[in-house]
Amino acid sequence: MDSKRSYRTMLYIGLAGILGALARFGFSTIWNPSTEIVFPWGTFFCNLAGCLLLGFLVFTDKLRIPAQLQMAITTGFIGSFTTFSTFSYETVNMLRQGHMILAFLYVLGSLWGGLLITWLGIRLAKSIQGGNLS
């Protein structure tokens, strides 16, 4: 990859990252309108939506997305839209506040929900392409 193309790819990833971060902020603001909310619905739904989108985009060829754009969406947008660090902080915070069951459900729902949603994204991509759904 030549340096001009490399810089362009980095610019696309950076711009998509800005959009992903702003989208996550907006999503979290809508789903967590108050700092007193116990269950972090905003982060939970951002992470699951990111899993679906990533699973779909990585396994679809039919959309013929240029490599630079796919990298911008997956690494830039989805990378900043989803957040493991906030998920970890929110889990620890729930545990510190004594919300053990909610913390457990958050971890379980995030992990297993993320895996399931990623798998569904892959299935959706393969079904659009007419491929094997396994």
Side-chain angles (χ1 to χ4, degrees), residues 67-78:
Q68 286 180 317
L69 179 58
Q70 185 171 13
M71 190 175 290
I73 294 169
T74 57
T75 302
F77 184 84
I78 297 171

Side-chain angles (χ1 to χ4, degrees), residues 33-81:
S34 151
T35 56
E36 298 172 17
I37 192 162
V38 176
F39 194 86
W41 290 106
T43 305
F44 183 72
F45 285 124
C46 284
N47 287 340
L48 292 183
C51 288
L52 178 68
L53 188 58
L54 187 63
F56 178 78
L57 287 175
V58 170
F59 284 92
T60 188
D61 295 327
K62 198 161 196 157
L63 296 178
R64 301 193 197 291
I65 299 171
Q68 286 180 317
L69 179 58
Q70 185 171 13
M71 190 175 290
I73 294 169
T74 57
T75 302
F77 184 84
I78 297 171
S80 64
F81 182 68

Side-chain angles (χ1 to χ4, degrees), residues 1-127:
M1 180 184 289
D2 63 30
S3 64
K4 190 174 186 179
R5 186 173 171 165
S6 176
Y7 289 127
R8 193 175 311 134
T9 300
M10 287 189 298
L11 176 66
Y12 295 156
I13 291 170
L15 291 173
I18 291 169
L19 294 175
L22 291 172
R24 178 166 56 99
F25 174 76
F27 212 80
S28 292
T29 301
I30 291 168
W31 283 92
N32 299 341
S34 151
T35 56
E36 298 172 17
I37 192 162
V38 176
F39 194 86
W41 290 106
T43 305
F44 183 72
F45 285 124
C46 284
N47 287 340
L48 292 183
C51 288
L52 178 68
L53 188 58
L54 187 63
F56 178 78
L57 287 175
V58 170
F59 284 92
T60 188
D61 295 327
K62 198 161 196 157
L63 296 178
R64 301 193 197 291
I65 299 171
Q68 286 180 317
L69 179 58
Q70 185 171 13
M71 190 175 290
I73 294 169
T74 57
T75 302
F77 184 84
I78 297 171
S80 64
F81 182 68
T82 59
T83 173
F84 186 75
S85 57
T86 302
F87 158 75
S88 299
Y89 167 77
E90 289 167 343
T91 301
V92 169
N93 200 36
M94 282 188 279
L95 291 170
R96 288 181 61 225
Q97 293 176 359
H99 301 290
M100 304 300 176
I101 293 173
L102 280 179
F104 175 77
L105 291 173
Y106 185 44
V107 169
L108 194 65
S110 295
L111 176 61
W112 289 103
L115 292 171
L116 175 65
I117 294 294
T118 302
W119 177 77
L120 288 174
I122 294 167
R123 279 184 57 108
L124 178 62
K126 287 183 176 185
S127 71

